[in-house]
Amino acid sequence: NAGVTQTPKFQVLKTGQSMTLQCAQDMNHEYMSWYRQDPGMGLRLIHYSVGAGITDQGEVPNGYNVSRSTTEDFPLRLLSAAPSQTSVYFCASSSPRAGGDTGELFFGEGSRLTVL
Amino acid sequence: SQQGEEDPQALSIQEGENATMNCSYKTSINNLQWYRQNSGRGLVHLILIRSNEREKHSGRLRVTLDTSKKSSSLLITASRAADTASYFCATAARGSNYKLTFGKGTLLTVNP
């Protein structure tokens, strides 16, 4: 059981380039989300999705785009990379609880992105 | 803005001692969760406590929740070197149930 798989694990970009971070889960989870983790800042929510075709913004959505065409996949697109987007990105998924909250999140191992 | 904040930022103890970390949050919540992160790895869920619960146990972990003070504590008993990690609390404000926000974490070092 692979859980949550993120690719690539490491990426170096130049300012202005675009790229997509991939996230796939094999647990049939309805909820998926993307966080970025920066030193001293903890984890900040970028975007999330409660099911295929449904996405919403988190705390720091600017500069990122998401879509959810299948239950399994939730890619994160950087439209025009900036040095401020240098960070470690985590994808997480869960099966939402009755009453409407995320419940326990399962995290991927992270994607470390450097923008020069 | 961060909903939860952990305290202390860092904690260093000897193997066998107990470790206590605290989390304070700002608004009413449905539940509070604790996660562990080993260096360079993803976060791992430890325990979830609902707003109508006051205390919960899981192995060597004990979590308390005081909704009147908007605070929670995580106690790790008889700590081991393998418990060395960062620990985060996570909450979602009522009405924003799917926006789970994390604090900045407590870095726990357990010395052998």
Side-chain angles (χ1 to χ4, degrees):
Chain A
N1 192 343
V4 179
T5 303
Q6 292 183 232
T7 56
K9 288 185 169 45
F10 300 93
Q11 183 72 49
V12 178
L13 288 178
K14 294 181 179 178
T15 297
Q17 288 184 318
S18 62
M19 77 156 299
T20 299
L21 299 177
Q22 301 290 346
C23 176
Q25 53 91 8
D26 61 0
M27 297 172 282
N28 202 32
H29 285 166
E30 295 175 13
Y31 179 87
M32 297 186 74
S33 56
W34 277 102
Y35 287 87
R36 59 177 289 174
Q37 185 175 32
D38 302 293
M41 296 293 291
L43 280 83
R44 292 181 291 169
L45 181 64
I46 304 171
H47 286 286
Y48 66 96
S49 168
V50 297
I54 306 169
T55 63
D56 207 345
Q57 296 181 347
E59 183 185 355
V60 288
N62 292 340
Y64 306 95
N65 200 3
V66 292
S67 59
R68 184 96 179 268
S69 56
T70 67
T71 300
E72 295 78 19
D73 301 298
F74 191 44
L76 179 72
R77 297 182 185 85
L78 280 70
L79 308 172
S80 177
S84 62
Q85 293 178 304
T86 293
S87 187
V88 181
Y89 292 85
F90 288 98
C91 179
S93 72
S94 73
S95 189
R97 291 150 48 91
D101 62 55
T102 66
E104 170 189 353
L105 294 187
F106 292 79
F107 280 82
E109 290 296 312
S111 296
R112 185 176 296 273
L113 176 66
T114 301
V115 183
L116 302 176
Chain B
S1 61
Q2 249 121 1
Q3 162 77 320
E5 292 291 339
E6 295 88 350
D7 172 70
Q9 291 185 344
L11 180 61
S12 181
I13 60 174
Q14 296 298 122
E15 224 170 10
E17 294 180 339
N18 295 343
T20 299
M21 288 157 272
N22 302 297
C23 171
S24 59
Y25 57 92
K26 297 174 184 174
T27 64
S28 295
I29 57 173
N30 285 333
N31 63 64
L32 184 144
Q33 304 182 42
W34 285 91
Y35 288 81
R36 183 188 76 232
Q37 183 181 34
N38 291 90
S39 181
R41 305 296 300 274
L43 281 75
V44 174
H45 182 264
L46 295 176
I47 201 163
L48 180 153
I49 185 165
R50 300 179 188 181
S51 59
N52 62 353
E53 297 176 310
R54 291 297 167 257
E55 187 170 312
K56 203 162 183 179
H57 296 254
S58 177
R60 294 184 295 112
L61 306 180
R62 182 175 78 109
V63 168
T64 62
L65 179 64
D66 187 334
T67 53
S68 66
K69 295 181 179 178
K70 292 186 172 58
S71 67
S72 173
S73 67
L74 170 67
L75 169 67
I76 304 174
T77 59
S79 63
R80 306 165 181 168
D83 295 327
T84 294
S86 291
Y87 292 82
F88 297 86
C89 68
T91 58
R94 285 230 175 101
S96 301
N97 292 340
Y98 295 112
K99 293 184 177 180
L100 193 66
T101 63
F102 288 77
K104 297 177 182 178
T106 292
L107 176 59
L108 172 65
T109 303
V110 181
N111 301 299

